[in-house]
Amino acid sequence: MTEEEQRYALLRDEDGDSTPERPMIGVERSIYKLVSIILAFLLLLSTVLNIYFINWSTNNSHSNFVGKPSEYAGLVQEVWLPWEDKTEYNNENFTAMDRKWGELRADNGIIALPKTYAAEHGLRRGCAFPWDSSKDIYLLNGYHGIHCLSQLYLTLKEYRDDLPQSHTFEHSTHCLDWLRNDVMCRADDTPLYTTNSRIPANGIGQVRKCRNWSKLESWAKEHTACYRYGNFVAEDKLDSQIGRFKYCPADSPYLPKIREHFGKGDDWFPADEEIYIPF
């Protein structure tokens, strides 16, 4: 073979055109197998992690819709609730409906917060908590709304049954204005579907994501001010309202002080007293 022929033969060998593939030796085959196993494992691990983070993101993300946790009780929008046409609070059974509205209490919304906590959160000073000078009294806004709704229902019930009004017109308009202010503050932009029916049914059955009321209730109970609204017709006229702050739970550290103040024995628990329901 001439030198020119050898040169071109070498080029063909480099291109693999004329030389058979060299079989892998044992060591190379083991390395290839190991690399393949590692790559397959990494692919599987990547798939599993992707599925995990997708699920985590779905369950824990705070998008603009969910919102960040609330400043005080740390609540997030996590409960799907529908708009309903008929509920326990709105139906043809007036007796049952009156009972449900009568049981709707705002008492748990009266809480006692440490003054240090209030200062850290930029809250104005509240009224002094009678059993602990390091705490002030606050009313949770959600419970204030519940109070206004229940008292407005009482006004409507008394109108329905042709009974004397327990509240003044000014009290009712105060509650209406507070609820108006709250609605406008929240500026809920949820689009409700519409219907052609002559009977308004817009949005009925449609759901929206809400905060969990039971979690707010639990947080409120952790900071209870031992309050009970009671018979507002009689108690609102009393010179002192301290009697409304005696309803501490059985494990409360304030019970000895309360018993001493009201002249009660060691076996007395305020929770044993009858709960006043206005209707």
Side-chain angles (χ1 to χ4, degrees), residues 4-260:
E4 187 71 13
E5 290 173 332
Q6 286 180 340
R7 185 169 67 85
Y8 282 107
L10 287 173
L11 288 176
R12 287 196 298 272
D13 288 344
E14 291 172 0
D15 292 339
D17 292 337
S18 60
T19 305
E21 182 179 351
R22 179 176 61 83
M24 288 189 293
I25 60 177
V27 174
E28 290 177 326
R29 187 179 294 111
S30 298
I31 294 174
Y32 178 81
K33 185 176 180 181
L34 178 61
V35 171
S36 299
I37 293 174
I38 292 174
L39 290 175
F41 172 77
L42 291 176
L43 179 61
L44 177 61
L45 179 62
S46 175
T47 302
V48 171
L49 289 176
N50 281 333
I51 294 174
Y52 170 79
F53 283 116
I54 288 173
N55 289 333
W56 183 90
S57 177
T58 300
N59 294 327
N60 297 277
S61 64
H62 301 310
S63 64
N64 290 333
F65 176 70
V66 173
K68 64 179 182 180
S70 62
E71 184 173 357
Y72 307 104
L75 306 176
V76 296
Q77 292 173 306
E78 58 179 338
V79 179
W80 288 100
L81 293 177
W83 279 279
E84 299 176 279
D85 185 28
K86 298 297 180 183
T87 71
E88 293 180 297
Y89 298 92
N90 176 34
N91 56 65
E92 293 77 16
N93 187 336
F94 287 173
T95 300
M97 190 165 61
D98 291 348
R99 183 175 63 254
K100 289 301 295 182
W101 281 101
E103 293 171 350
L104 196 60
R105 315 297 295 172
D107 299 347
N108 289 333
I110 308 293
I111 61 173
L113 295 176
K115 295 176 181 178
T116 53
Y117 177 94
E120 290 170 359
H121 288 79
L123 294 172
R124 291 180 59 176
R125 287 287 307 275
C127 299
F129 183 48
W131 317 121
D132 188 340
S133 60
S134 70
K135 295 182 178 180
D136 284 343
I137 299 168
Y138 294 88
L139 167 59
L140 295 177
N141 183 53
Y143 281 92
H144 186 276
I146 290 295
H147 164 77
C148 274
L149 286 171
S150 65
Q151 297 309 304
L152 286 171
Y153 183 84
L154 175 60
T155 296
L156 290 173
K157 174 189 178 296
E158 290 171 340
Y159 171 79
R160 180 196 71 198
D161 297 338
D162 196 24
L163 296 172
Q165 292 289 312
S166 298
H167 292 298
T168 63
F169 178 78
E170 289 74 18
H171 180 273
S172 295
T173 54
H174 156 74
C175 273
L176 283 172
D177 191 46
W178 188 280
L179 294 171
R180 174 206 58 80
N181 184 290
D182 206 42
V183 169
M184 295 182 72
C185 172
R186 299 180 188 282
D188 187 352
D189 59 353
T190 304
L192 302 178
Y193 76 85
T194 59
T195 68
N196 292 323
S197 172
R198 290 179 179 270
I199 301 175
N202 301 329
I204 299 301
Q206 189 171 329
V207 298
R208 79 283 202 194
K209 211 166 191 180
C210 307
R211 292 174 178 172
N212 192 325
W213 182 266
S214 63
K215 289 188 177 181
L216 175 60
E217 190 169 39
S218 296
W219 186 82
K221 288 181 178 179
E222 291 175 5
H223 302 280
T224 180
C226 308
Y227 186 88
R228 185 177 293 171
Y229 191 44
N231 186 341
F232 61 89
V233 176
E235 294 183 36
D236 281 357
K237 300 175 182 178
L238 297 177
D239 293 334
S240 174
Q241 302 294 311
I242 195 171
R244 286 175 162 169
F245 292 91
K246 64 183 180 182
Y247 299 96
C248 289
D251 58 349
S252 172
Y254 305 124
L255 271 181
K257 186 178 293 187
I258 294 172
R259 287 169 175 153
E260 180 182 358

